Amino acid sequence: MQRVRLPSLLLTQCFANSPVRRCYSDMPQPPDDSACCGNGCQDCVWIRYWDELQDYERKQKKLALRDANKEFEEQMKEKQVDPAMKAFLKMERKKKLAETKKS
């Protein structure tokens, strides 16, 4: 599978101001037209492509969550949120994350 490699300058320009700084440079690309034989192989290039897309999506979700948590923490510091309130919010975030993982 070929992967698209974007120049770092382009990534910096496109995503530097984004609240969620995702790196799309390693996004899987679909197989070439000639890569699939059409015989329904067990390890078909299209199945591998699907698996790579699923892995990519999981990684992007982790990055987005990490960025969101970092932004949340920075904003709480900036707004000087009360320590008791910070503890409450941390507990609520963990509870919500656990609920989303179950579904």
Side-chain angles (χ1 to χ4, degrees):
M1 289 297 145
Q2 289 183 343
R3 297 184 185 274
V4 174
R5 298 285 177 201
L6 298 175
S8 59
L9 178 62
L10 178 63
L11 284 173
T12 303
Q13 291 173 344
C14 293
F15 304 110
N17 296 325
S18 171
V20 178
R21 294 170 189 86
R22 296 181 185 185
C23 178
Y24 293 97
S25 63
D26 60 349
M27 184 173 185
Q29 295 299 303
D32 293 332
D33 292 340
S34 61
C36 180
C37 67
N39 291 330
C41 302
Q42 187 174 6
D43 192 30
C44 179
V45 293
W46 285 103
I47 294 171
R48 279 187 275 157
Y49 172 59
W50 172 255
D51 289 339
E52 288 180 5
L53 282 175
Q54 294 299 306
D55 290 341
Y56 176 78
E57 186 176 318
R58 278 190 289 276
K59 288 176 188 174
Q60 293 304 312
K61 285 180 181 178
K62 284 181 184 178
L63 286 174
L65 180 60
R66 193 175 312 135
D67 285 347
N69 283 331
K70 184 178 176 184
E71 179 68 21
F72 186 79
E73 294 292 333
E74 288 174 3
Q75 289 298 322
M76 286 198 325
K77 272 185 188 176
E78 187 178 308
K79 304 290 182 184
Q80 299 177 347
V81 175
D82 178 68
M85 185 63 175
K86 283 182 186 179
F88 168 75
L89 293 170
K90 186 174 184 177
M91 183 180 66
E92 287 297 309
R93 284 189 308 178
K94 282 185 180 180
K95 187 170 96 175
K96 286 191 179 288
L97 283 174
E99 288 172 359
T100 56
K101 286 182 182 179
K102 286 180 184 177
S103 56

